Amino acid sequence: MNFNELGLKQEILTAIAEMGFVEPSEIQAEVIPYLLNETGDVVGLAQTGTGKTAAFGLPILQTIDTKSKHTQALILSPTRELCMQIATEMSKYASGMHGVHIVAVYGGEDIRKQLKELDTTPQILVATPGRLIDLMERKKVHLENIQYLILDEADEMLNMGFLDDINTILEKTPEARRTLLFSATMPNEIAKIAMNYMKNPVEISVGKKNEAAKNVEHYYVLTKQSTRYEVLKRLLDYYPDIYGIVFCRTRQETKDVAEKLMVDGYNADALHGDLSQAQRDSVMNKFRLRALQILVATDVAARGLDVNDLTHVIHYNLPDDRETYTHRSGRTGRVNKSGISIALVTPREKGAIKPIERVINHPFNQMEIPSGGMVCQKQLYYMVEKMQSLEPDKKLERYMPDVVELLKNMDRDDIIRRFIALQFNQLLEYYHNSTDLNASVQQEIKSSRDSKSRGSKGSRRGAGIDDEPKKSRRQMRVVDKGDTLRLKINRGRKDGFEPKRLLGLINDVTGDKSIKIGDIDISPKFTFFDVDKKCVKQLMQAFASSPRAKGFIIGEVKGNR
Ligand code: ADP
Ligand code: MG
């Protein structure tokens, strides 16, 4: 199938060709001709990342009257991020057309700015339901001439409690409109909306109803409760080029896991509801740009984060409901790219897998937790591959003769060995005596069986002793006293401050994990710590300017300690 066969006009075809679209996705191939040639309503069921925006967006652009100044299409979407994305995406499709005005309005931004943008009436309005109602009450939007009403990610909108708002909005739009509803899943409430507000809609679904994207492999790993974090790290180490989301169940868990990962030297950050909008934007941007490899997030906060091509989705804990699982795993395995979804479950949580398999209509496979040896091998190959594809800087040439001269008495293998050791000794050291995490969970299963068969009802919960190495491997924070300066920060024991928090905070504020920190001493109200002299300025500047350092004051400790 080719885009030319769908009946789209040339300006649009050119624009999407420039965006690199070659073939229409399944949902586009079905929905676009239907919208262009028929008049009925549509319920479209398709996973995230299947190209729904173009499926409805292209026919809308083709059919609106660009000479008219009325609002002709209203697109409702659950989050601010999605609204912005849809508006941006649609503007790109319209780049070859004249006189198309698209505006996005959403909560969480100063309404005055949006009021101003609405001074010129847009033909296409993209909105979150809450903000739209607000603007309707202020009589700043005009829905009398709406021809298309699109409910995008309808299931998400319901999850977010927008049902009443949606009903209010639907009642205020003309009866003669065409209504299109898109959703990844089809819960009863959606069927109700379809019944009440749509006219004999055709259902166009891609793949089976409620089925997770096909090109996702679903795995679970069995872990003990007490080794959950250790297992996560093992997995992250096993996939050195991972670009993924670690889903947690609560804000607190999200914060804890992210903080630990940061202290342990991973390129990770947290996304949760306790962050300010500016902080959330900044994390999301870093993640979008791949400046951040691992995002630790709650389901709510990750909603609307559009990131394509995740290599992995990791469920640090499984969600309570199965639809959430579908959403999470739908973030990997996007258009033509396969992805991996891995759930960490304890033996007692394993029962949750079966019902999910039924919903996604796809089996899970058990994945063994990679052994330390496997991780080392994988990392080594990864490094060799990276080395081979690297383009050495020309500036190196002038030093080469000297270096070659210095190494001339060493044989090739020995040189390789030593260069690898430079990079790898820490990792090897860490994994050398690492626990076999598979065996440790098997042991737990066995002993729980034994205790059951002895008739003991004793729960093993909370009995888990953390038997994992406590060392955080990538953290190199020991410095020579002579090269350090003593600083203090206005948080101490009374604030629950501890060394880990300090390191996490410094990582967070500076975004630089190489800053070396020496001795840390905590008094009731202050924490004193040694910092590599070379990094003091950078640290001070970061604390003075980063929003994340709000409320923290860092100063030099004068004189002797
Ligand atoms: P959905 O709304 O179904 O989650 P989007 O409309 O946001 O999906 O599209 C996901 C990504 O795929 C976007 O970056 C979009 O530009 C891209 N995309 C959409 N259709 C195509 C296509 N036919 N070929 C290539 N990329 C596409
Ligand atoms: Mg979408």
Side-chain angles (χ1 to χ4, degrees):
M1 177 65 102
N2 197 302
F3 270 111
N4 298 334
E5 300 164 47
L6 299 179
L8 292 164
K9 58 183 182 183
Q10 195 53 49
E11 296 103 289
I12 292 179
L13 289 175
T14 311
I16 58 174
E18 269 170 23
M19 292 173 71
F21 291 17
V22 181
E23 253 191 290
S25 68
E26 253 179 290
I27 190 97
Q28 290 163 359
E30 301 233 16
V31 170
I32 295 173
Y34 184 82
L35 291 181
L36 292 176
N37 302 316
E38 315 277 334
T39 54
D41 289 354
V42 174
V43 170
L45 294 177
Q47 288 302 312
T48 321
T50 49
K52 294 190 285 289
T53 316
F56 63 77
L58 301 179
I60 289 177
L61 285 167
Q62 172 129 335
T63 43
I64 56 163
D65 179 0
T66 50
K67 301 226 170 60
S68 152
K69 294 286 171 240
H70 294 305
T71 301
Q72 300 158 55
L74 171 63
I75 302 163
L76 293 180
S77 160
T79 64
R80 153 197 161 105
E81 282 76 24
L82 282 171
C83 283
M84 298 197 295
Q85 253 170 63
I86 294 170
T88 313
E89 183 94 3
M90 298 263 299
S91 307
K92 288 189 201 157
Y93 306 152
S95 61
M97 295 171 64
H98 290 290
V100 182
H101 187 39
I102 304 171
V103 167
V105 293
Y106 37 77
E109 192 192 66
D110 190 348
I111 199 161
R112 279 169 299 186
K113 184 167 162 256
Q114 294 175 3
L115 289 171
K116 212 169 171 62
E117 284 188 80
L118 289 170
D119 280 346
T120 326
T121 308
Q123 291 118 348
I124 300 173
L125 181 62
V126 190
T128 52
R131 180 52 62 99
L132 183 73
I133 297 231
D134 193 346
L135 291 163
M136 281 160 67
E137 282 163 3
R138 292 168 188 245
K139 307 235 178 316
K140 281 307 242 179
V141 289
H142 309 279
L143 307 181
E144 319 75 70
N145 293 298
I146 293 292
Q147 293 162 30
Y148 287 99
L149 184 90
I150 293 91
L151 303 168
D152 191 30
E153 310 250 354
D155 49 352
E156 283 294 338
M157 289 201 280
L158 295 188
N159 283 340
M160 294 177 71
F162 283 136
L163 182 62
D164 289 345
D165 287 351
I166 291 173
N167 286 330
T168 309
I169 295 165
L170 282 163
E171 272 160 16
K172 294 274 157 54
T173 53
E175 189 73 19
R177 63 165 197 262
R178 201 170 184 186
T179 310
L180 319 175
L181 181 153
F182 292 92
S183 179
T185 54
M186 185 72 175
N188 287 337
E189 295 92 329
I190 299 234
K192 258 190 232 155
I193 294 186
M195 239 163 33
N196 294 341
Y197 291 102
M198 298 175 78
K199 293 177 282 285
N200 304 322
V202 294
E203 187 179 302
I204 298 181
S205 62
V206 170
K208 281 215 182 113
K209 235 185 262 183
N210 293 351
E211 187 183 11
K214 282 215 185 56
N215 46 351
V216 180
E217 296 162 38
H218 300 267
Y219 295 98
Y220 68 90
V221 293
L222 275 182
T223 171
K224 289 200 291 189
Q225 181 61 24
S226 60
T227 57
R228 203 184 280 272
Y229 176 70
E230 205 57 35
V231 170
L232 173 67
K233 280 209 314 185
R234 190 72 66 90
L235 291 169
L236 296 177
D237 286 340
Y238 189 61
Y239 298 109
D241 53 353
I242 187 173
Y243 174 55
I245 302 184
V246 176
F247 280 101
C248 294
R249 263 226 289 242
T250 62
R251 288 176 193 190
Q252 195 54 48
E253 186 174 78
T254 305
K255 284 185 211 170
D256 291 346
V257 171
E259 193 171 308
K260 279 198 236 167
L261 287 176
M262 286 191 271
V263 171
D264 285 346
Y266 292 85
N267 182 14
D269 210 336
L271 189 67
H272 52 73
D274 288 348
L275 302 176
S276 70
Q277 187 64 49
Q279 287 171 323
R280 272 207 299 256
D281 285 348
S282 142
V283 174
M284 284 199 228
N285 269 336
K286 272 199 294 183
F287 191 57
R288 274 194 202 107
L289 296 171
R290 295 191 176 226
L292 189 68
Q293 241 188 317
I294 301 153
L295 184 71
V296 187
T298 57
D299 290 297
V300 177
R303 231 169 244 166
L305 166 72
D306 111 70
V307 178
N308 289 317
D309 308 336
L310 288 186
T311 60
H312 294 76
V313 164
I314 297 182
H315 313 261
Y316 191 70
N317 266 302
L318 277 174
D320 285 325
D321 71 290
R322 296 155 221 173
E323 258 136 38
T324 305
Y325 179 88
T326 314
H327 276 289
R328 286 180 176 184
S329 58
R331 291 179 173 279
T332 177
R334 304 253 162 162
V335 189
N336 303 329
K337 292 208 170 81
S338 77
I340 296 178
S341 169
I342 307 173
L344 275 54
V345 295
T346 63
R348 38 162 84 221
E349 291 162 352
K350 208 186 134 194
I353 299 286
K354 265 264 158 324
I356 298 177
E357 285 181 331
R358 260 180 258 130
V359 173
I360 62 174
N361 196 18
H362 202 92
F364 274 70
N365 287 316
Q366 184 177 355
M367 177 188 275
E368 294 279 300
I369 304 164
S371 66
M374 285 158 74
V375 170
C376 289
Q377 192 181 40
K378 191 85 176 275
Q379 293 261 2
L380 194 56
Y381 288 169
Y382 179 68
M383 187 175 100
V384 171
E385 236 170 63
K386 242 171 81 176
M387 185 272 286
Q388 283 174 320
S389 60
L390 181 101
E391 193 74 54
D393 194 320
K394 291 258 176 342
K395 292 194 264 312
L396 268 177
E397 285 313 313
R398 52 193 279 219
Y399 307 105
M400 276 307 287
D402 287 350
V403 176
V404 170
E405 177 63 23
L406 284 169
L407 298 178
K408 76 169 185 261
N409 292 327
M410 278 166 83
D411 77 18
R412 178 188 134 97
D413 282 6
D414 204 28
I415 293 176
I416 295 176
R417 193 172 296 119
R418 282 161 192 267
F419 269 100
I420 289 177
L422 269 182
Q423 280 274 336
F424 251 66
N425 270 0
Q426 252 192 312
L427 186 82
L428 286 173
E429 179 64 27
Y430 178 80
Y431 275 118
H432 183 63
N433 290 320
S434 63
T435 326
D436 180 345
L437 294 165
N438 288 306
S440 99
V441 68
Q442 287 312 324
Q443 181 62 36
E444 180 171 89
I445 294 172
K446 186 171 171 297
S447 60
S448 106
R449 243 187 247 132
D450 291 350
S451 68
K452 266 190 203 133
S453 64
R454 281 200 308 273
S456 145
K457 276 194 265 161
S459 154
R460 293 186 55 81
R461 254 227 162 134
I465 298 157
D466 197 342
D467 52 1
E468 296 306 314
K470 278 271 189 269
K471 209 167 12 166
S472 32
R473 90 176 145 77
R474 294 188 211 182
Q475 186 190 328
M476 297 233 303
R477 296 209 176 262
V478 190
V479 255
D480 200 352
K481 280 270 182 297
D483 301 330
T484 63
L485 204 70
R486 191 84 169 151
L487 300 183
K488 69 173 181 182
I489 184 163
N490 61 337
R491 288 290 188 287
R493 211 176 303 118
K494 280 195 174 152
D495 310 295
F497 219 61
E498 46 180 336
K500 202 177 67 179
R501 290 270 303 274
L502 176 71
L503 298 179
L505 180 71
I506 292 174
N507 286 342
D508 210 25
V509 169
T510 61
D512 181 351
K513 282 165 192 136
S514 65
I515 295 180
K516 294 185 185 129
I517 307 293
D519 286 351
I520 300 174
D521 294 302
I522 302 194
S523 78
K525 286 189 178 165
F526 289 96
T527 298
F528 303 89
F529 56 101
D530 288 341
V531 184
D532 185 355
K533 271 186 186 148
K534 292 197 281 295
C535 306
V536 168
K537 203 168 150 206
Q538 177 194 358
L539 189 75
M540 298 288 229
Q541 277 173 351
F543 269 82
S545 60
S546 164
R548 292 178 167 233
K550 215 168 160 227
F552 293 102
I553 302 168
I554 278 196
E556 208 177 307
V557 179
K558 299 276 181 332
N560 229 328
R561 305 194 187 179

